Amino acid sequence: RETEERYIAANPLSRARQDAAARSMPGGNTRSVLYYSPFPVAIAQAQAQTLIDIDGHRYVDFLGEYTAGLYGHSHPVIMEAIAQAAKGGIVFGGPNRDEVELARLMCERFPSLDLVRFTNSGTESNLMALVTARAHTGRSHIMVMEGAYHGGVLTYFYGADFPINAPFPVVMAKINDVEGTRALIGDNADKLAAILIEPMIGSGGGIAATRDYLAMLREAATRHGIVLIFDEVMTSRMSSGGLQKKLGITPDMTTFGKYLGGGMTFGAFGGKHALMRRYDPAQPDAWPHAGTFNNNVLTMAAGVAGLSKVFTPEAADRLYDDGERLRARLNETGRKHGVPLQATGVGSIVVVHWQSTPVAQPHDTQKTPVEARALFHLNMLQRGYYIARRGFMALSLALTQSDHDGLVAAVDDYCGAYRSVL
Ligand code: PLP
């Protein structure tokens, strides 16, 4: 309560903005994930790894726009690419040059991509991949993991008694339950069009699929003619070719979003030639896939600049290692203080939970009390570190060693101050 009162007093302009916003947006919000109680700070400006809110506080940005902010804010190479592209006009109603290059770069990097198509979001990409799998197989159902998030209309959280955001009939599996899932696939093989999985569940708590589990899915999908789809919207950052390349398991299709558009609105789906060829409009049996902004000029230019000039394979490996080190340091800090801090995730996605029981399934994260999440989150904001209420962090290339050291010191200080209540 005291922390919350201090927060309210320190953020009068954000509070007023929230009140004004609530008059024309439900709860003052247009992105559910950006709300937290008592109200979120509103951001006025961002540069590299720094965010400044409308009350003038500065934060080191460890949220990294839920992975879309991989390049840091306003990276000069990307800003230049956008500025140059904008000079030539932003909507043509025709094909452009940069889409060719972005498609080429992605097909070169991601092992599962023979062919790729662009969309405007990760949500749309998953919808398109699922539609493709259903049309290709003539089957109706999709298998998803309990607690998975694949987009605004593809949300498989617990406790949703009426799935307004689950448009296809689903069979729910438990991530890393090799035998149980194998049996479920066998029992439902004749109706399963696709298996959709994030190789590391991001929003659901930073839970990595084991290599054995993914290998079982690969084998079962092939055996039963089911399309295996990896949602790499978040995990495509884990190497130059995503987690699929790092783990050496190639799905039939992959979906993308977030940083690959250089920070602009982005999505893509792609995969094997046999699945994607039907989107060739010259084919007599072509499937349609329109979308006014699919090849939008600014995204294509920003994406090309980012992949070709900034996020090199070496940069990808470095960022992965930075995340591994940070997670280890945070866990060590918790151990040192004897508090139930648990940092999960893979590579540059780090999720902090306040519980000593394992986080093996997304619903396990509910064992962290909401008050514990709120206390940590508000304290980190007050110490100048911007993370998500749920403890989610995604590193950007703009963060420095001293930013990492500062975050660890802030967590250390927090653990020391609140040890008795954690
Ligand atoms: N898939 C995963 C794994 C995601 O984390 C997200 C967004 O957070 C999406 C899909 C949806 O992407 P978008 O927000 O671009 O629609």
Side-chain angles (χ1 to χ4, degrees), residues 121-124 126 149-152 198 203 231 233-234 258 266:
S121 68
T123 304
E124 239 184 291
N126 280 318
Y149 178 74
H150 295 289
E198 251 191 298
S203 294
D231 176 342
V233 167
M234 279 195 175
K258 311 278 192 195
F266 179 77

